[in-house]
């Protein structure tokens, strides 16, 4: 099955160029001219991934990313000229899966998209961890029989912690595994997302190991 990509970009030239280079790399590509149209198309078409420009009028890329995360939509790769670490952290905190700066190499963008699509395909099977029941294939989590809505980032974080039950994971390990970043670490990004996950699944399952990282105790 062909991987589908939604390109959300207000600049017509950049939008068309991105569409062409991705189609040449084997993707089926849909395009949207702004964040509002992008959200509607993402909800209707359910693409495998969205490539979203950050600097768009009215509904910018970060707002669109947050909206897609809240609605359980497709994962987002942000495509932008902003390349400072703070900009990247802001993008990941909004819920983006990856971040590529302009100008981009088409081979690199295609490789990052395929890696992202592969990374968001969870293993199959229903599993139980204490009060949690998870169906990784359907991307559904229940606590004590009640379904919990989690964002794509929260799901990736939960899968990682559950796969390492009883093991302390450092913040740098979590950052590398969940966000694909090993060259730099930002404790705040990890801490914020762990707190969000705790608020969803309950504060009793994730233990903070001071000065090191986090551990899940659910058997």
């Amino acid at each position: 099955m062909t991987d589908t990509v939604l390109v959300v970009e207000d600049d017509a030239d950049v939008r068309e160029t991105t569409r062409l280079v991705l189609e040449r790399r084997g993707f089926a590509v849909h395009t949207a001219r702004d964040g509002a149209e992008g959200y509607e198309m993402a909800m209707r078409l359910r693409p495998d991934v969205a490539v979203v420009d950050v600097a768009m009028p009215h509904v910018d890329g970060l707002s669109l990313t947050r909206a897609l995360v809240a609605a359980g939509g497709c994962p987002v790769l942000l495509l932008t000229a902003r390349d400072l670490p703070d900009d990247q952290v802001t993008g990941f905190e909004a819920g983006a899966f990856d971040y590529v700066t302009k100008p981009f190499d088409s081979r690199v963008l295609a490789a990052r998209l395929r890696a992202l699509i592969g990374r968001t395909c969870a293993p199959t099977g229903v599993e139980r961890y204490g009060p949690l029941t998870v169906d990784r294939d359907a991307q559904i989590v229940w606590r004590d029989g009640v379904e919990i809505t989690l964002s794509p980032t929260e799901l990736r974080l939960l899968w990682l912690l559950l796969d390492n039950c009883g093991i302390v994971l450092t913040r740098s390990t979590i950052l590398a595994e969940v966000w694909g970043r090993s060259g730099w670490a930002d404790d705040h990004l990890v801490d914020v997302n762990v707190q969000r996950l705790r608020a969803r699944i309950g504060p009793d399952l994730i233990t903070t190991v001071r000065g090191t990282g986090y551990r899940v105790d659910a058997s």
Side-chain angles (χ1 to χ4, degrees), residues 33-100:
R33 295 166 294 180
D34 54 45
E37 185 180 45
Y39 181 82
E40 185 276 327
M41 291 181 68
M43 293 295 99
R44 175 167 51 87
L45 299 175
R46 296 291 176 177
D48 294 305
V49 63
V51 176
V52 175
D53 180 42
V54 172
M56 294 187 292
H58 309 305
V59 179
D60 63 32
L62 295 177
S63 298
L64 173 58
T65 299
R66 294 187 187 99
L68 289 175
V69 169
C74 62
V76 172
L77 180 148
L78 291 175
L79 188 62
T80 174
R82 301 175 181 176
D83 60 356
L84 295 176
D86 285 350
D87 294 322
Q88 296 183 40
V89 169
T90 300
F92 288 125
E93 288 184 336
F97 276 54
D98 207 345
Y99 194 104
V100 172

Side-chain angles (χ1 to χ4, degrees), residues 147-158:
E147 184 175 341
I148 301 168
T149 300
L150 297 178
S151 72
T153 298
E154 290 163 348
L155 283 171
R156 296 198 310 279
L157 177 57
L158 180 60

Side-chain angles (χ1 to χ4, degrees), residues 122-128 133-140 142 159:
T124 60
V126 175
E127 307 158 20
R128 289 178 175 80
T133 302
V134 304
D135 184 336
R136 301 202 192 202
D137 188 42
Q139 303 277 285
I140 300 174
W142 299 265
W159 299 159

